Amino acid sequence: IEDILGKAQSRDCVLPRQLSMHLCRQLLKMPFTKIGQFFSRDHSTVMTSVKAVQSALDEDNVEIASHFHQLLKKIKTS
């Protein structure tokens, strides 16, 4: 949690953060500004993250799609 909400820029932290932002937007229909407040980021950073994940999913990026669907499955079974 600390890594996802923190300021780290490593790939190990950025991808989970971006996926989390995308899920907040998709599942909870949260506005970009609210997601930004939660993650201590500017709304434009959230927009970029959500767009990056969506583009990767649209392009069938196997790595990102796999992580995304695993998270989605865990959320839906909880």
Side-chain angles (χ1 to χ4, degrees):
I1 293 174
E2 293 173 10
D3 290 339
I4 291 174
L5 296 177
K7 298 292 182 186
Q9 298 280 335
S10 69
R11 180 81 173 149
D12 290 342
C13 297
V14 172
L15 181 57
R17 184 182 305 129
Q18 288 178 329
L19 288 169
S20 299
M21 290 178 182
H22 187 276
L23 288 168
C24 286
R25 181 73 177 165
Q26 181 182 10
L27 299 177
L28 302 175
K29 308 296 187 216
M30 290 175 68
F32 293 116
T33 52
K34 285 286 186 193
I35 299 169
Q37 290 171 355
F38 184 76
F39 287 91
S40 300
R41 300 289 191 281
D42 188 76
H43 78 281
S44 61
T45 303
V46 176
M47 290 173 69
T48 301
S49 295
V50 169
K51 188 175 186 178
V53 171
Q54 189 59 53
S55 293
L57 293 172
D58 291 344
E59 295 170 4
D60 295 324
N61 180 307
V62 176
E63 176 191 6
I64 293 176
S66 173
H67 292 300
F68 178 78
H69 292 296
Q70 285 176 0
L71 285 170
L72 200 56
K73 185 177 178 180
K74 285 184 180 184
I75 290 169
K76 289 184 176 185
T77 60
S78 295

